[in-house]
Each structure stands twice: as structure tokens, then as C-alpha cells.
Amino acid sequence: MILAPMEGLADDILRDVLTGAGGYDWCVTEFVRVSATVLPHSAFTRISPELNRDSRTRAGTPVRVQLLGGDPALLADNAAQVAQLRPAGIDLNFGCPTPLINRNRGGAALLDDPELLHRIALAVRQAVPAYIPVTAKMRLGIHDAGLAIECAQALEAGGAEELVVHGRTREDGYRPPARWDWIGRVRESVRVPVIANGEVWSVADYHAMRAETGCTDVMLGRGAVADPLLAGRIRSGAGEGADDWPQIAGMILDFWSQVQRKVLPRQAPGRLKQWLGLMRRIHPEAERLFVEVRESRHADEVTPVLMRRLAAAGGCA
């Protein structure tokens, strides 16, 4: 099980809290944008503080650093730079659908040019010591999946050791459904492992995705944020329906404590509301908590609410 990068949401704090609940083999940072220069070490440790502790979360889950850009030589130079920090892996982003990123020829915008994808993967693989895995995440294409297989084969030929395939095009955004059948077609076209991604919100979704795609491994993204214990339930075979809110309450308090140490008091409520906004899709308790803190603008307004609601549920600060 892999925890996906989610720009602006799954930073080092949420990675720490989610992997602490168990079930993940490795996870990926938000992307480091490579556009003009070789970045200093501090740019990588800022987005992945785990690099300062053997590239692992507090629970011991390996963390791969993700790079985004469109210049093979510049990406290779930055990959060599981050390799000096001994990351658990380097991942290449060909999946981001954000218009600003795509207008600057990054992320999913490159999926119309399999040859460029090959040159990027090859340059990065040659720049990085063999012991550091180089992987890539891609969508099915820009407007359609016509080049999906060619893109996957280009990345494989360039040296990518694993491919995460998100079952949507750039134009699909995050609208359901994800095209699991196409992930299966990509898997059949390459020899490297393909990790399926897209629309796994439950244990049942996980099993259905594996059955349809033929993939052994699955990457969880928004589903893992909405249901913080999903990976653990999948791993243990526990299934749905457990009364897990007391454990989640403790995770929220841990998250809140770490967020307050990282950001300004006026920024902290937004971070919590962002997580609760997804979690309320699954957990009614998260919906009630979200409603109660929705108008809060300062950390001092939120803390008493959390202590009253979550300490009673079994969480501890």
C-alpha cells in the first residue's frame, strides 16, 4: 500500500499521522517544482523533513521525493542533488492536472510527448545511484488515453522501476469514475510493476480495483485522507464497520498539535478544516466537528472545541 502525494494537503505532518496508523509500504512527498535552477538541499528538506531521519516517517515508512518539471537535464541535476540526501526514492510527476503547472509544461501536460518522458526518465536514472529507486506517476493522457501505453513504455524504457497509473486523463480532473480498465491495459503493456490509483474510498473499492486492473499494489490518495484507517483495515482484512472514531480522534489531536508548531495561529484552522472537509465524507463525527470549527479563524478558537469533542471520544493530546 502506498500513500499518494496530494499538493497542499498531504504534507509531512499528515504523512506522519497517517503512516503512524500503519498499513503503508512507502509514501511520496508533494512535488518539488524544478523550473530554472538546481535547488539547494534546503528546498528538499523543507518539503521532506524525513530526509533528516533516513528518509522515513516517525513510524518508519520510507518517503520518496517527487520532482516535477519538463527539462531532462535540469531534472537530472536536481535528482543528483537530492540523491546526496539519500532519499528512499525519487518519483517523477506526470500526473498533476493543475492548469498553472500544465501551462508551464509540467505534470500531465507532458503526456502528449512520450519521447520527452523517455528522455526525462533516462536522464534522471543515469544521474542517480543505482540503489535509489526511480519511479514515475502518470495519468492516462491529456484529453484521452490514446498515448497511455506509449507513455508507460517510454518511461519503462527510460529506467523507471515502477509506474503509478492514475485512471483519469488531465481533462477528467478528479471526476468519477476512474478508468480502471485502462490501468489494466497499461499494466499488460509493460514489464515493470504498475501501481493502480484512483477512486479507492473503501476496502471494497480496493478489492474491486485489484480485480479489474490485475495490479498487486494500490496507491491511496484522497481515500486515505477521508478515512485515516483505511490502509490498516485493508492490510489486516478487518473490513468496514469498526468503531474506529476514538483512534481517529487521537490522530486529529496529534495532527493539530503538530500543525500549531509548524504554521501561524491564523493559518492552523484552515489546515484542520481541509482535512475534516474530506473526512466528513466517511465519518459523521467529522462532519459535526467540521461544522463546529468552520467559522474559526484562529487556533485559540479551535483548541477548546477539539479538547471538548475529541478528548471525550478517547483521543489524547
Side-chain angles (χ1 to χ4, degrees), residues 4 40 42 46-47 56 64 66 71 87 98 108 124 131 141 157 167 194 233 240 260 262 265 278 296:
S42 59
R46 181 168 57 250
I47 205 162
R56 293 176 181 271
R64 300 183 184 182
Q66 188 176 85
D71 184 311
T98 304
V124 170
Y131 70 86
V194 169
R233 282 204 304 276
E240 319 285 0
Q260 290 183 92
K262 183 175 181 178
L278 263 175
S296 300

Side-chain angles (χ1 to χ4, degrees), residues 113-115 117-119 121 149-159 190:
D113 193 345
E115 193 274 333
L117 267 57
H118 174 264
R119 289 194 289 119
I149 288 174
E150 192 174 347
C151 286
Q153 291 174 338
L155 290 167
E156 176 187 37
V190 295

Side-chain angles (χ1 to χ4, degrees), residues 288-308:
R288 290 191 286 270
L289 189 57
F290 178 82
V291 169
E292 192 157 356
V293 302
R294 180 167 48 196
E295 301 303 321
S296 300
R297 296 291 181 266
H298 194 280
D300 289 347
E301 301 172 60
V302 173
T303 298
V305 176
L306 296 186
M307 294 307 298
R308 183 174 69 254

